[in-house]
């Protein structure tokens, strides 16, 4: 079983069970079948807007060429979904996650508590360290002692440096010290953790802006990436979180965690379509190596693997 097969297994099973029931005994696409496809897409938490876009396109296509087999319908769906995920200028399947021409490459990581934000940072640090890169972590989520402790454990486990201050310290001060330390040490990448609070968006916006501004005193174009971490299993809540963080700061990339534990994997497609932000990483397990660089083609191929259509 491939990397992405493991990640989308539950989503695929749920989706194809609904689809298979819908196509039994049918020789052509009709309104009932399109309704069933729509229901299956919505159930995978693709989102209503993205689902309707797919259904409208399918209606247009089958109007000209009546559906004969499940294979043909699957190929149409595959093409539609692949098209929605294709937001890069060059049409590449894998979005390059880092730009090592910028040194240090500064990534500010945002996301609500509980989505796996700190764990994602730790796994990213491990991935980069394994590539021979020098990494510095910044524990700027100073509102939760657990966040600082957890990041410290990851720093120790992966063998990378960490900059931290006492709980309750100014997050911007930690971010400033982190970037300054990274420059002094000749680091390749900086990963800055931030507080995962959404209860007051004005506070969040002000804090993230302040963190950006102080980092720019050291590196004028920092951060080079603002990575939003979302939990796939939260479905529509992930959409809401993406909307809130997009209002608070310029999100440039997504990391989607816990994809393997949910039937709501369609949220990946919906969020990319609605926010036009690429997914760069997906989490498909608890292990340190279970954070993977997102490959659009592999993701779609796993979701629509041939054997599923011939059952």
């Amino acid at each position: 079983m491939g990397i992405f097969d493991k990640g989308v297994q539950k989503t695929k099973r749920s989706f194809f069970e609904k689809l298979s029931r819908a196509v039994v005994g049918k020789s052509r696409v009709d309104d009932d079948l399109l309704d069933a496809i729509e229901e299956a897409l919505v159930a995978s938490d693709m989102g209503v807007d993205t689902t309707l876009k797919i259904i409208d396109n399918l209606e247009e296509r089958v109007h000209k060429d009546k559906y004969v087999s499940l294979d043909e319908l699957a190929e149409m769906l595959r093409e539609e979904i692949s098209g929605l995920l294709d937001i890069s200028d060059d049409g590449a399947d894998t979005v390059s996650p880092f730009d090592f021409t910028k040194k240090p490459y500064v990534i500010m990581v945002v996301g609500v508590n509980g989505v796996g934000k700190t764990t994602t940072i730790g796994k990213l640090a491990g991935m980069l360290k394994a590539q021979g890169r020098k990494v510095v972590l910044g524990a700027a989520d100073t509102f939760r002692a657990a966040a600082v402790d957890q990041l410290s454990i990851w720093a120790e486990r992966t063998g990378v440096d960490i900059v931290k201050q006492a709980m309750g310290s100014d997050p911007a001060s930690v971010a400033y010290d982190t970037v300054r330390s990274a420059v002094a040490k000749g680091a390749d990448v900086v990963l800055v953790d931030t507080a995962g609070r959404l209860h007051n968006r004005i506070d969040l916006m002000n804090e993230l802006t302040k963190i950006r501004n102080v980092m720019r005193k050291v590196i004028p174009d920092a951060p080079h990436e603002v990575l939003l971490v979302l939990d796939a299993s939260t479905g529509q809540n992930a959409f809401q979180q993406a909307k809130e963080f997009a209002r608070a700061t310029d999100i440039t990339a997504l990391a989607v965690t816990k994809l393997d534990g949910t039937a709501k994997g369609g949220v990946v497609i919906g969020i990319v379509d609605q926010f036009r932000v690429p997914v760069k990483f997906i989490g498909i397990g608890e292990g340190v190596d279970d954070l993977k660089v997102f490959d659009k083609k592999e993701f779609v191929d796993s979701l629509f693997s041939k054997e599923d259509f011939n059952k």
Side-chain angles (χ1 to χ4, degrees), residues 26-30 33 66-68:
K26 291 188 183 293
S27 58
R28 57 187 287 275
V29 171
D30 56 20
L33 181 53
K66 295 300 180 190
Y67 151 70
V68 178

Side-chain angles (χ1 to χ4, degrees), residues 59-286:
E59 279 182 318
E60 216 173 286
R61 292 176 68 169
V62 299
H63 181 70
K64 288 178 280 188
D65 183 17
K66 295 300 180 190
Y67 151 70
V68 178
S69 69
L70 183 53
D71 277 354
E72 289 173 358
L73 179 62
E75 191 52 41
M76 287 182 188
L77 274 169
R78 178 202 289 267
E79 288 168 9
E80 292 299 331
I81 287 171
S82 191
L84 292 178
L85 288 171
D86 188 15
I87 64 168
S88 61
D89 294 334
D90 57 6
D93 293 321
T94 306
V95 180
S96 176
F98 306 106
D99 180 1
F100 293 117
T101 61
K102 294 168 180 172
K103 185 175 176 176
Y105 185 68
V106 180
I107 304 172
M108 182 166 77
V109 187
V110 301
V112 300
N113 295 332
V115 297
K117 177 167 55 74
T118 309
T119 302
T120 297
I121 294 170
K123 289 178 180 180
L124 268 178
M127 181 190 293
L128 288 158
K129 181 72 186 297
Q131 294 172 6
R133 307 287 178 181
K134 190 166 188 178
V135 183
V136 176
L137 305 183
D141 183 355
T142 58
F143 293 92
R144 286 193 313 131
V148 178
D149 292 345
Q150 192 183 358
L151 203 62
S152 298
I153 291 167
W154 274 106
E156 193 176 330
R157 186 186 298 176
T158 55
V160 304
D161 291 335
I162 184 168
V163 175
K164 57 187 176 180
Q165 294 179 12
M167 186 186 165
S169 300
D170 179 9
S173 171
V174 178
Y176 178 80
D177 285 352
T178 303
V179 175
R180 197 173 58 174
S181 172
V183 170
K185 291 174 179 174
D188 298 300
V189 184
V190 178
L191 296 164
V192 178
D193 193 10
T194 60
R197 297 164 304 142
L198 269 183
H199 62 272
N200 186 325
R201 192 163 40 83
I202 302 300
D203 282 356
L204 177 77
M205 194 179 298
N206 290 343
E207 185 177 293
L208 294 178
T209 301
K210 188 178 175 186
I211 289 172
R212 275 176 172 271
N213 290 343
V214 300
M215 288 195 293
R216 284 175 179 167
K217 289 178 181 177
V218 184
I219 301 172
D221 57 347
H224 305 111
E225 189 89 273
V226 179
L227 181 69
L228 173 61
V229 182
L230 297 169
D231 176 349
S233 69
T234 63
Q236 291 304 297
N237 279 345
F239 274 93
Q240 193 57 39
Q241 289 165 24
K243 194 182 295 181
E244 294 294 332
F245 276 102
R247 285 176 184 162
T249 190
D250 295 323
I251 304 299
T252 61
L254 302 170
V256 182
T257 67
K258 307 178 191 178
L259 192 62
D260 57 312
T262 181
K264 299 176 178 181
V267 72
V268 172
I269 299 150
I271 286 177
V272 172
D273 175 48
Q274 294 302 310
F275 294 94
R276 311 307 294 162
V277 173
V279 174
K280 288 199 174 181
F281 305 97
I282 62 161
I284 54 167
E286 297 301 318

